[in-house]
Amino acid sequence: MSETKSKQATTDMTTGSPAKLICLFALPLLAGNVLQQLYNMVDSIVVGNFVGDAALAAVGTGFPVIFMLVSLFMGLGAGATVMISQFYGAGDRENLRKTIGTIYNAMLVGAVPLTVAGVLLAGPLLRLMNVPADAYGMARVYVMVVFAGVVGNMGYNVNSGILQGLGNSKTPLLFLAIACVINIALDLLFVAVFGWGVAGVALATIIAQFSSWIFGIFYINRHYPELAVRPFQWNFDKSLFLRALKLGVPSGIQQALFSIGVMVLQTLINRYDTAFIAGFQAANKLDTFGFMPVQSFAIAVTTYVGQNIGAGKMERVNKGLRSALVMSVAVNLVVAILFVPLGPFCMRLFTQDPAVIAAGCAYLDRIMPF
C-alpha cells in the first residue's frame, strides 16, 4: 500500500479543535479498554461458573503478580509511543523506523528474562501474598502458564503503541477484538468441554495474545510499508533506546508501585475466606471498568502532546490538557453514579454465591463514590 493510504489511517492532532481530537481519539481507546477488561474478565467468569470460587480467587490473585513483573516493559512501550508521536509530528520518518526497530528488538530480548523470572517467582510471590491453600496451586499454575507466553502480550502492546503514536487508535481495537473472540471461544472449549480448569483459561489467554500480536505485525507491514516491522532482524539504536528508557521508566515504576500496592492489599484480603477473596477480585475487575475513561483520555493526551511538541506547537499542548481534564472529571461523575446501584447485577456475572456477591458489593459501595 502507498504512503498516502497509510496516512489516511492516522490522525494529525496538530490542527483542529483539541477537545474534539482528544475525544474522538479516546473513544476507540475506551472501546479497546472495555474489550481488554472483558478479555480478562472472561477468564474469571468462566472459572467462577464452571470450576468454583477457589478458581475465581486464584485467577484474580495471580493478576497483580503478572502486572508487577511486566510493568517496566510496559513503561518502555509508553516511552516509545511518546517518541513515535513526536517523530511523526516532526515528519521524521528515518527516526520513526529506527525507533520501531529498536523497541521491537528490546522487547524480544527482554521477553526471555521476564519469562524465566515469572515462572520461577510465581510460587514465592504468591506465598508472600498469603494465598489460601485451596487457591494457591491454581494461582501458581495460572501465573506460570501466562508468563510462558508473555511475549504475545508484550508484542501486542508494542504494536498498539506504534499505531497510537502515529495517531491511529482504531486499529488496536481490531487487534483486541480478535484476541477477545479467540479467548472466549478457547476458554469455553478448554474449561467447559475439556475440563482443564485454571490451566485452560491461562492457555487460552496466551494463544489469543499471540494470535493478536502476529496479526498486528501483518497489519502494520501491509498498511505502513515504510515502517515495516521485522522482528528478527537486528536493528538497534542505543541512543534511541536510552531515550525511550528515560521517557518510559518513570511510567513503568509508577505502574510497578501501583501493582505492589495492589499486592499488599491482596495480602490483607487473603487473610479472609475464599468467598471474600473471590468477591473482592470480581468487584476489583468492575472497578477497573470505572477507571477506563480516564485511562483512555490519558493515552489520547500522550499522543496529542507528543505530536504537537514534535510540530513545535506548544500553545496547543495546554489547551489539550485542560480539555482532557474537564472531560475526565465529567465522565467520572457519571460512572460513579451508575456503578453503585448496578453492583449486585454486575456481580452476578461472576457467581451466584450470595457471600461472594455481598463481599463484592461492599467493596463497590465504598470505592466507587471516590
Side-chain angles (χ1 to χ4, degrees), residues 11-30:
T11 301
D12 182 356
M13 306 184 83
T14 61
T15 59
S17 166
K20 182 178 179 181
L21 287 167
I22 292 170
C23 186
L24 291 178
F25 191 82
L27 287 175
L29 293 174
L30 177 58

Side-chain angles (χ1 to χ4, degrees), residues 46-318:
V46 170
V47 296
N49 284 281
F50 288 97
V51 183
D53 291 344
L56 175 59
V59 170
T61 301
F63 185 76
V65 175
I66 298 167
F67 189 79
M68 183 192 69
L69 291 177
V70 302
S71 291
L72 290 176
F73 288 91
M74 291 171 65
L76 178 61
T81 300
V82 172
M83 291 171 61
I84 289 169
S85 65
Q86 290 178 351
F87 289 139
Y88 179 78
D92 188 346
R93 293 276 167 172
E94 180 62 24
N95 275 320
L96 265 178
R97 284 190 289 268
K98 288 182 179 179
T99 300
I100 291 171
T102 297
I103 296 304
Y104 242 98
N105 281 286
M107 182 269 291
L108 291 171
V109 172
V112 177
L114 180 61
T115 299
V116 174
V119 171
L120 294 180
L121 294 177
L125 286 174
L126 289 169
R127 288 196 182 280
L128 191 63
M129 292 169 62
N130 297 323
V131 177
D134 60 345
Y136 170 79
M138 289 184 286
R140 182 169 177 267
V141 168
Y142 181 78
V143 173
M144 291 178 67
V145 174
V146 169
F147 267 109
V150 75
V151 67
N153 183 20
M154 295 171 68
Y156 160 76
N157 281 290
V158 169
N159 288 344
S160 295
I162 291 170
L163 292 169
Q164 287 164 9
L166 294 173
N168 183 348
S169 62
K170 296 178 181 178
T171 303
L173 178 61
L174 175 62
F175 299 165
L176 264 180
I178 291 171
C180 193
V181 170
I182 294 174
N183 189 51
I184 292 172
L186 292 182
D187 270 348
L188 293 172
L189 177 65
F190 292 164
V191 178
V193 179
F194 294 167
W196 291 352
V198 168
V201 298
L203 185 60
T205 295
I206 64 174
I207 292 174
Q209 289 173 341
F210 193 88
S211 300
S212 181
W213 171 40
I214 298 302
F215 176 81
I217 292 176
F218 281 112
Y219 182 94
I220 291 172
N221 289 352
R222 181 181 179 187
H223 291 267
Y224 301 86
E226 72 280 9
L227 305 175
V229 174
R230 295 180 174 84
F232 301 105
Q233 291 184 10
W234 185 252
N235 181 14
F236 187 85
D237 187 301
K238 182 179 178 181
S239 63
L240 290 174
F241 176 70
L242 292 176
R243 183 175 172 183
L245 281 179
K246 184 178 179 181
L247 289 168
V249 165
S251 173
I253 292 175
Q254 178 186 355
Q255 294 183 70
L257 289 174
F258 174 79
S259 60
I260 290 172
V262 173
M263 289 175 64
V264 172
L265 178 61
Q266 185 67 57
T267 302
L268 299 176
I269 296 294
N270 288 343
R271 295 179 179 179
Y272 295 87
D273 60 24
T274 301
F276 189 89
I277 299 170
F280 169 78
Q281 293 298 345
N284 192 45
K285 292 185 183 300
L286 295 173
D287 177 31
T288 303
F289 265 111
F291 196 64
M292 284 178 182
V294 174
Q295 288 180 310
S296 302
F297 285 128
I299 297 172
V301 167
T302 299
T303 299
Y304 173 89
V305 169
Q307 286 193 16
N308 282 282
I309 288 177
K313 297 184 177 182
M314 295 301 297
E315 75 283 354
R316 289 178 54 80
V317 172
N318 289 331

